[in-house]
Amino acid sequence: MIQTLTPAADWVVILPVVLCLVGGALLLMLRNSGGYLASFAILVVIAVLVCDAQLFARVLAEGPVSMTMGKWLPPFGISFTADLMSAGFALAAAVVTLVVLFYVQMDPEGRDGSTGLYSLILLLLGGVSGAFLTGDLFNLYVWFEVMLIASFGLMVIAGREIQLDATIKYGFLNFLATSFFLAALGLLYGLVGTLNMADIIISAPKANPAGMASVAALFLLAFGTKAAAFPVNAWLPASYHAPPAAISALFAGLLTKVGTYALLRTMVALLPASREILDPVIAAVAILTLLIAPLGAIAETNLRRALGFIVIGGIGVVVSGIALPTLQGIAGSTVYIFHAILTMSALYLVAGLIERTTGETDTRRMGGLYAANAPLSILFLVLVFAAAGTPPFLGFWPKLLLLGAGTEQSGMTTGGQIDWWAVAILAALLLNAFLTLIAGTRIWAHVFWRQGHEGERSEEPNANLRAPGRIETWLGLVPAGLLVAAIVAMGLWPDLLVHSGTEAARGLLDPQSYIAAVGLEPTP
Amino acid sequence: METAFAALVGVFFAASIYLLLSRSVIRMLLGLTLFGNAVNLLIFTAGRLTREVPPIVPDGLKVPTEQIANPLPQALILTAIVIGFAMFTFLLVLAYRAYQTLNADNTDTMRLTEPKGGPNPPLSY
């Protein structure tokens, strides 16, 4: 039993979630009270951002922080535990949400708080922060569902026909994935008798290996569906382009990344022994996702659907880090997730601006935007380069780490036995960068270089094209531009990021300090 | 008793997957609910089955004297039932709205988010 009060400083672990939930509830109650809702939501997210930054600084300095609620000690009480990885991702998620809240103001329809938009955005951020910061697997399931119900609401909020259709596909497949996650939890509980993550790390090696392998396979299926990895990715391009661009940006930044985070946590930290059995499967999933996704983007003509495939390609990069589980490989995955949270959201924000300026959603009918809005073209091109991973942008560093891990694992440099899986992953990573570059620059050329509509009128200027208004510039272009500037700056000075990514990977591979922070006896 | 429960869970899973593979949204919804119930039963079975021994610690003691029913899976299932019910309700209303607006209950005719005239999703990707 815990008899003393939790130190005030430890509350920083749970405050991001509490602030979001309380803020969301208040906004729902006040939804008819007019124009101050947006400012209130922005204030709440700034407070969350401050908490996350404080938490990140503390974890960077002192190691994992844990807080247990109620009077029950772990493994019975539910702990919120933040290590470097979770704190970093929570910070990035709050940054993206803040940018999106400004961006939403651009649209008079989107600005309207009486639809519950701000409550749902805060609820989504609360769910995502909770999923990143929790130290208990069942609690993770609960935050997944919080996130899921908020995203259902956001996806269907204007109720257009295409949104209803998209929500059905998104809803069914994601709910099924969380049910698979719950089934895995049930079996895991039956095998090890605990659901506290730190406690699972201790007791997993003693459990029946065959049973644990099937649990790991179920986790792979559930989180793979959540993250949209190759064979189970069909729901993402079918749904992410349906809601307004701001909502798509929020989804692209937050939802699939929680899936990849959960994959990293379960496969690398919790069940490393079972992952080794599944290694060929994970490697195959990584390679196929890396190759198929950008090919889909090349074949696609709808702008935001094509971006959906680029998001899937990023998932392949993360999974390839799990397939190369050295310190460098996991660090690459961690940094890539951080990068993807920012870059993929920014891509959708810029895509939303392109759609507004051209009045089209199909790249074949856009055209001629370069003359009308040059800053937009620069932002989009920078983001394409960042997503493909060309230097000097942020996407380059995680890929460099992964390529390093791949060469090390393949045994080509040491002259020993050659690991063909690692060689294949290495080739797939390089090919993925190349194909993503082709897909992105092809879209860029269609949207910005070409004149007008396809076919016989392609030499005429686009009739729907209009110059951006002042509101669009200040509330749309500037937030997206700031996000891109942050991506470029972190690409130029990656020291802090690569250092924290490596430290986070070290914590994941050797979780003794994580166990100690929760207050359990580390394994001898 | 575990064997019987495990078999029941298997039957539930089989039936739910059969329903989920159908094209009608309502049948898929029923399949999803059945799937949730199968998972709940699975947790219940995995967390030790005991008959007629409520998890009550006798007065004055700190630990129970005999093997008791495990209360934790029941708490987990309770949470999962509540969440699953909320999700089911949302998806039911959504299916109804989609039926009203799109005039379709068959997923093959719901093709607004996919490119027009193309083959079905796995082929067109």
Side-chain angles (χ1 to χ4, degrees), chain A residues 398-476:
Chain A
K399 288 207 173 168
L400 189 67
L401 285 169
L402 283 169
L403 291 178
T407 23
E408 188 188 320
Q409 186 100 340
S410 67
M412 286 189 295
T413 46
T414 52
Q417 181 93 36
I418 289 188
D419 179 355
W420 289 107
W421 277 116
V423 177
I425 291 173
L426 212 56
L429 274 170
L430 291 170
L431 210 55
N432 167 269
F434 183 60
L435 291 173
T436 309
L437 211 54
I438 291 179
T441 43
R442 180 181 155 280
I443 296 172
W444 191 84
H446 269 214
V447 174
F448 292 100
W449 263 357
R450 271 201 339 189
Q451 295 275 319
H453 293 171
E454 61 173 331
E456 75 274 22
R457 290 193 293 144
S458 69
E459 294 308 312
E460 292 171 27
N462 184 348
N464 299 330
L465 204 64
R466 54 183 188 81
R470 264 185 59 204
I471 296 180
E472 273 160 7
T473 307
W474 283 107
L475 290 169

Side-chain angles (χ1 to χ4, degrees), chain B:
Chain B
M1 198 157 60
E2 265 90 354
T3 321
F5 264 78
L8 185 64
V9 169
V11 170
F12 266 52
F13 271 123
S16 68
I17 287 168
Y18 172 71
L19 282 171
L20 275 167
L21 289 175
S22 95
R23 292 194 181 84
S24 154
V25 175
I26 293 295
R27 283 165 72 98
M28 283 163 64
L29 249 180
L30 290 175
L32 215 50
T33 317
L34 209 56
F35 194 90
N37 282 306
V39 171
N40 289 341
L41 266 178
L42 173 94
I43 299 176
F44 192 56
T45 316
R48 189 170 77 218
L49 293 172
T50 22
R51 280 181 78 172
E52 294 167 3
V53 201
I56 297 171
V57 180
D59 209 9
L61 291 179
K62 291 226 164 168
V63 282
T65 46
E66 53 181 341
Q67 177 101 331
I68 55 167
N70 189 351
L72 191 69
Q74 304 186 14
L76 300 184
I77 294 169
L78 187 59
T79 317
I81 288 175
V82 174
I83 294 174
F85 189 66
M87 294 287 169
F88 172 73
T89 318
F90 180 88
L91 287 176
L92 188 63
V93 173
L94 182 75
Y96 182 61
R97 254 311 284 281
Y99 172 64
Q100 275 186 323
T101 316
L102 310 174
N103 198 17
D105 180 47
N106 186 328
T107 46
D108 272 356
T109 53
M110 293 183 169
R111 302 235 61 88
L112 287 174
T113 58
E114 314 286 344
K116 280 199 188 71
N120 283 347
L123 301 175
S124 67
Y125 292 156

Side-chain angles (χ1 to χ4, degrees), chain A residues 212-228:
Chain A
M212 293 306 272
S214 53
V215 168
L218 269 177
F219 275 139
L220 185 65
L221 173 65
F223 296 140
T225 314
K226 279 272 161 197

